[in-house]
Amino acid sequence: MKEYVPNFFDEHMRSMEDLSEQFDAIEEIINVLKKAQTNGNTIFTIGNGGSGSTASHFVSDLLKTAITKDEKRFAAISLVDNIPVNMAWSNDQSFDSIFIEQLKNFLKPNDVLFAFSGSGNSINVINAIEYAKKNSAICIGFTGMDGGKLKNMCDVCITVPSNNMLIIESVHLTLCHCLIESIRKSGNPLFKYG
């Protein structure tokens, strides 16, 4: 235990420090979010497992924590949260289609799809990105390892430089909080923490 805990923290810190090479991508994502906010476009989020919980958490922060005075509120939907819909598509068609089928109900041109995938190779995520691209949505990817297929499919993709899924997922959540905090700082936050 005395070795594992410091090693985990060291690897986490290295992954965070290595993201400095991707600051331009972070800034670009903030600009995409602000444009979607101003224009009333919907932000959709997808992911599986821990990435699914990040997708849900990010929407929670967009819908409440990111509210600033005198600016429009974000329109955001996590496609992981409707369990009966996800189970119905999984049962009746395939788990690979759970996100794409929901996008068919909602997605409009210039909407934004945030895809979280530690490997970058989750089939249901890839299918949703392909559909979104064909329908003129803006695609943002958060991945890890070598980026997988997702890295080259998205308009903007941040790849966490780690092969440890727990660290990748932790850094994805930290990045989401960074985006939310940047939006809050650029305006006049309506709510305080705590």
Side-chain angles (χ1 to χ4, degrees):
M1 292 297 280
K2 288 182 179 178
E3 291 180 14
Y4 173 73
V5 172
N7 288 343
F8 182 86
F9 287 150
D10 287 346
E11 186 178 348
H12 194 280
M13 292 300 294
R14 280 195 305 275
S15 293
M16 294 294 297
E17 289 168 2
D18 289 345
L19 284 177
S20 62
E21 297 175 10
Q22 299 182 66
F23 280 164
D24 288 346
I26 295 169
E27 185 176 8
E28 190 173 349
I29 293 170
I30 292 167
N31 290 335
V32 167
L33 287 168
K34 294 294 289 176
K35 186 173 181 182
Q37 178 187 29
T38 300
N39 295 337
N41 300 112
T42 303
I43 298 160
F44 298 95
T45 64
I46 57 174
N48 299 295
S51 293
S53 69
T54 301
S56 183
H57 187 136
F58 187 44
V59 166
S60 173
D61 283 343
L62 285 168
L63 293 178
K64 196 265 186 186
T65 310
I67 297 173
T68 52
K69 295 176 184 174
D70 304 319
E71 293 187 72
K72 285 183 181 178
R73 292 186 178 204
F74 282 97
I77 300 171
S78 167
L79 299 182
V80 304
D81 288 340
N82 192 326
I83 293 171
V85 168
N86 282 315
M87 288 172 38
W89 281 114
S90 294
N91 184 62
D92 298 341
Q93 188 164 325
S94 165
F95 186 73
D96 296 346
S97 67
I98 62 171
F99 300 134
I100 188 174
E101 293 299 339
Q102 291 182 78
L103 287 174
K104 289 177 182 178
N105 289 60
F106 299 114
L107 191 73
K108 297 183 188 69
N110 300 313
D111 282 345
V112 181
L113 178 60
F114 265 84
F116 298 92
S117 174
S119 68
N121 292 316
S122 301
I123 299 300
N124 55 4
V125 170
I126 298 300
N127 290 343
I129 290 289
E130 287 175 346
Y131 177 82
K133 294 290 287 181
K134 287 178 188 171
N135 287 276
S136 304
I138 299 161
C139 296
I140 308 293
F142 279 27
T143 186
M145 302 180 190
D146 65 359
K149 294 177 182 176
L150 192 63
K151 183 176 183 176
N152 295 318
M153 296 177 70
C154 293
D155 297 293
V156 187
C157 188
I158 294 180
T159 303
V160 176
S162 175
N163 290 317
N164 184 324
M165 192 63 75
L166 296 175
I167 287 175
I168 293 166
E169 291 173 354
S170 297
V171 175
H172 285 175
L173 186 56
T174 300
L175 285 166
C176 288
H177 284 160
C178 174
L179 297 173
I180 296 299
E181 185 72 357
S182 297
I183 290 164
R184 285 172 56 83
K185 297 283 185 183
S186 70
N188 187 1
L190 188 62
F191 299 104
K192 298 193 185 307
Y193 296 128

